Amino acid sequence: MRVALDGYLGGFRIGGRLINNLRYADDIVLVASSEAELQELVSRVYGAARDTGMRINVRKTEAMKVCEYHTVNGEPISIVSSLKYLGARFDAEALCDEEIKTRSPLARERMGKLDPLWRSRVISPPLKARLIQT
C-alpha cells in the first residue's frame, strides 16, 4: 500500500487527515471521490501488488455505487449496493436500517440465552446493570 499510495493525493479529508484506504488483515477498502480517482487507485494497488508477486482476486473484489464500471487488469469488478465488511453491513446511502434489522434479533437472542444470569441471586443488581450497558 505504501508503494501504491506514494504521491497519491486523492481521497477525502476527515479531521484534517487524508483518507483513501482502510486496512484490516488482508482486507482493503479503497475510498475515492470520483470514478476516475477510484480507477487510478485500483490500478496503483494492482500494479504494486503485481510488482511484489501478489494478485487481486477479482471474484472477491467489489465496488460500491461510486461509479458505473471498474476493472482490475481488464477484468470487471462487480458493483454492489451494499457489502459486509468486518461483520458490519455498509450501503451506499450510509443508512443503518439493514444493519439494525440484522443485529437486533441477534442481540435479543443472545440476551435471552443469558436468562439464568439475570435470574441469579449471586450477581448483584449493579453488576447486572453494567453487563447490560456493556
Side-chain angles (χ1 to χ4, degrees):
M1 284 304 293
R2 267 188 233 113
V3 171
L5 297 174
D6 186 35
Y8 182 73
L9 300 175
F12 290 95
R13 289 221 174 265
I14 301 175
R17 292 189 62 180
L18 182 64
I19 306 295
N20 50 34
N21 71 91
L22 305 171
R23 292 178 270 182
Y24 182 79
D26 62 347
D27 288 328
I28 300 171
V29 175
L30 301 177
V31 181
S33 61
S34 70
E35 180 178 348
E37 193 177 287
L38 183 59
Q39 186 61 61
E40 179 187 353
L41 192 51
V42 168
S43 296
R44 282 172 165 262
V45 171
Y46 169 74
R50 184 191 59 223
D51 293 347
T52 58
M54 298 171 69
R55 65 179 189 86
I56 296 173
N57 187 340
V58 178
R59 282 176 251 118
K60 291 183 177 180
T61 303
E62 300 173 328
M64 188 190 311
K65 205 174 179 180
V66 173
C67 61
E68 295 296 318
Y69 184 77
H70 284 286
T71 63
V72 172
N73 195 30
E75 294 184 57
I77 297 172
S78 63
I79 304 296
V80 296
S81 60
S82 70
L83 59 91
K84 196 165 196 169
Y85 182 68
L86 301 178
R89 175 69 54 189
F90 294 90
D91 69 17
E93 288 78 36
L95 301 175
C96 301
D97 299 351
E98 188 176 339
E99 186 73 11
I100 291 168
K101 286 178 187 174
T102 302
R103 288 184 182 248
S104 292
L106 293 172
R108 195 172 2 272
E109 178 186 345
R110 294 289 182 207
M111 290 295 277
K113 288 182 178 180
L114 295 174
D115 193 56
L117 181 122
W118 307 131
R119 294 181 187 274
S120 171
R121 295 185 187 265
V122 177
I123 299 171
S124 69
L127 179 56
K128 290 177 186 178
R130 284 180 50 207
L131 288 170
I132 290 172
Q133 289 175 346
T134 303

